[in-house]
Amino acid sequence: MTLSVAVPGIHASAVVDPLAQLDSSVRVGPYTVIGPNVRVGPGTTIGPHCVIEGHTTIGCDNRIFQFNSLGAIPQDKKYAGEPCELVIGDRNTIREFCTFNIGSPGGSGVTRVGDDNWIMAYVHLAHDCVVGNHTIFANNSQLAGHVQVGDWVILGGFTVVHQFVRLGAHSMTAMCSLLFADLPPFVMSQGQPAEARSMNYEGLRRRGFSPERIAAVKAMHKALYRDDLTLDKARMRIAELPEKYPESSPDVQMMLFFLEQTSPQRGIVR
């Protein structure tokens, strides 16, 4: 359904292109600008002084605070106007002064944010980033192009992530961490460059992980970081864990798949 600024819920000072598709329940604050290729789902609120442009799709029940720039072209000199996209899921909170760029032809062409994410002020998502569900990005987290972030990841304030780096599910960074290598699932990291410190045990408990699953995560940490094993030997030991901890099979498979996808050039945080 195409709406204009005359529709209730859209402030009279907002500039909404007639071709933009906004559900009738969407609310738009003063002085916000929305471009022609934008689609916004039911229940989403957009604060004042935002600019939403490009081929941007925003789902249901998102809360977008003031002064955000969503859907601008990538900061990539090779970009030549291709119709790349930004896709944002449902129930996300996006605080002030965030910048999310569309994808690029050199990647998937889509920058994607999942559902139920809590994204604090001044976060930057560069082109072709993929963010999962239930993540928390603290203030000033900065992601370069092509970064992949798994479900339940927590980024401490001022975390900076190098291009093409992957962060596994349930991983976590401390404040001011610099990630130049892949961060495996469950791992807590800190430093410049970041180093592995522990596993996110408390976060797993809060998410309902059983003692058996947490014991298996501890065993994975020991194999990767405590027993001076090569990565190949650590993977072999991790693969055996479901024999002792049957409940851990999905967690082990997730870890093994992540490690298999890590390139030798990039490596993992050690």
Side-chain angles (χ1 to χ4, degrees):
M1 179 178 183
T2 301
L3 303 177
S4 70
V5 292
V7 172
I10 299 179
H11 194 274
S13 65
V15 180
V16 181
D17 192 283
L19 296 178
Q21 299 179 46
L22 277 60
D23 184 85
S24 59
S25 62
V26 171
R27 290 184 292 161
V28 180
Y31 305 107
T32 282
V33 178
I34 298 179
N37 297 308
V38 174
R39 296 183 295 171
V40 185
T44 289
T45 62
I46 302 169
H49 296 281
C50 293
V51 177
I52 304 178
E53 56 188 313
H55 289 79
T56 295
T57 301
I58 300 172
C60 304
D61 299 317
N62 294 284
R63 190 176 183 193
I64 300 169
F65 281 70
Q66 56 268 26
F67 302 110
N68 281 290
S69 172
L70 307 177
I73 65 172
Q75 298 177 102
D76 182 347
K77 289 184 176 180
K78 301 184 295 298
Y79 181 74
E82 295 87 351
C84 298
E85 298 179 71
L86 168 65
V87 178
I88 298 173
D90 302 332
R91 300 176 303 279
N92 297 289
T93 296
I94 302 172
R95 293 303 303 246
E96 301 83 353
F97 298 102
C98 292
T99 53
F100 297 1
N101 295 160
I102 60 172
S104 73
S108 65
V110 180
T111 302
R112 191 177 301 276
V113 178
D115 303 331
D116 301 294
N117 298 290
W118 183 265
I119 299 176
M120 300 185 198
Y122 293 96
V123 168
H124 176 63
L125 301 184
H127 58 87
D128 304 289
C129 286
V130 177
V131 177
N133 307 313
H134 303 285
T135 67
I136 299 174
F137 289 11
N139 295 343
N140 285 283
S141 300
Q142 308 287 300
L143 273 58
H146 309 275
V147 169
Q148 298 181 33
V149 181
D151 296 344
W152 300 102
V153 168
I154 299 176
L155 299 183
F158 294 90
T159 291
V160 178
V161 185
H162 193 275
Q163 62 188 9
F164 292 100
V165 163
R166 300 178 304 132
L167 291 83
H170 305 283
S171 61
M172 183 175 180
T173 67
M175 183 177 68
C176 296
S177 295
L178 301 182
L179 277 176
F180 297 110
D182 289 352
L183 183 63
F186 312 113
V187 176
M188 298 178 67
S189 65
Q190 178 189 35
Q192 304 175 1
E195 298 179 356
R197 301 301 185 188
S198 183
M199 294 296 214
N200 188 12
Y201 302 124
E202 183 57 34
L204 300 181
R205 292 187 187 97
R206 293 178 181 180
R207 291 166 206 147
F209 274 55
S210 68
E212 179 176 307
R213 292 176 69 189
I214 291 175
V217 170
K218 290 181 178 180
M220 285 191 265
H221 181 261
K222 190 170 186 290
L224 283 171
Y225 297 110
R226 298 301 181 195
D227 286 351
D228 198 25
L229 301 176
T230 65
L231 187 56
D232 285 341
K233 289 184 177 179
R235 286 165 54 187
M236 291 173 61
R237 182 181 293 181
I238 290 170
E240 298 171 352
L241 289 176
E243 297 177 8
K244 183 176 181 180
Y245 307 106
E247 286 185 26
S248 72
S249 183
D251 306 322
V252 167
Q253 292 306 313
M254 179 173 67
M255 176 66 82
L256 292 175
F257 181 78
F258 185 94
L259 297 175
E260 288 166 4
Q261 299 300 309
T262 296
S263 70
Q265 295 78 17
R266 176 70 57 195
I268 65 169
V269 169
R270 298 302 292 257

